[in-house]
Amino acid sequence: QVQLVESGGGLVQTGGSLRLSCAGPGSFFRFSVMGWYRQAPGRQRDLVASITSGDSTNYADSVKGRFTISRDNAKNMVYLQMNSLKSEDTAVYYCNLKHSIYGNYWGQGTQVTVSS
């Protein structure tokens, strides 16, 4: 059973910063595409950022220039640094792992609330 464990969510004021962390499996983490998604109440789950095994990154237009995704394969960790947070960033954030053989997995989610 693959487990992804997120941490780092919380309450922050507009303009503040948070760093989300996600711990992945040791066996094939480095060969996986890792991503962060978010889902606000009544909305679909959308991609925020992703990073490939070769460290290529992709960002939603709404977070470009404010969020940074990174990974540490030695620690089986992926991070999302979120700066200049806005109220519209409020959502549950989910860590995602995609592997061509082992499949697609989700973390349990962590709440991020940005207050004005």
Side-chain angles (χ1 to χ4, degrees):
Q1 183 72 17
V2 174
Q3 283 193 320
L4 301 174
V5 181
E6 300 115 332
S7 60
L11 175 65
V12 64
Q13 289 188 329
T14 301
S17 298
L18 281 175
R19 187 194 196 206
L20 305 183
S21 301
C22 173
S27 54
F28 52 88
F29 178 88
R30 67 178 61 243
F31 305 112
S32 304
V33 176
M34 299 301 299
W36 288 96
Y37 289 70
R38 67 187 180 188
Q39 188 168 20
R43 304 287 298 273
Q44 65 180 20
R45 190 176 297 186
D46 291 323
L47 175 69
V48 175
S50 63
I51 184 167
T52 69
S53 58
D55 288 339
S56 294
T57 58
N58 180 50
Y59 294 93
D61 288 343
S62 59
V63 307
K64 283 180 180 176
R66 299 189 297 123
F67 291 11
T68 302
I69 189 170
S70 61
R71 65 191 298 163
D72 184 339
N73 289 333
K75 296 180 180 179
N76 302 319
M77 297 290 294
V78 63
Y79 306 99
L80 185 68
Q81 178 65 44
M82 304 185 294
N83 298 328
S84 302
L85 282 161
K86 306 175 181 179
S87 58
E88 51 262 45
D89 295 318
T90 295
V92 178
Y93 284 70
Y94 295 91
C95 180
N96 175 262
L97 179 151
K98 288 185 175 61
H99 189 277
S100 58
I101 296 176
Y102 297 108
N104 188 40
Y105 299 91
W106 295 94
Q108 80 283 357
T110 185
Q111 177 71 46
V112 172
T113 302
V114 184
S115 66
S116 57

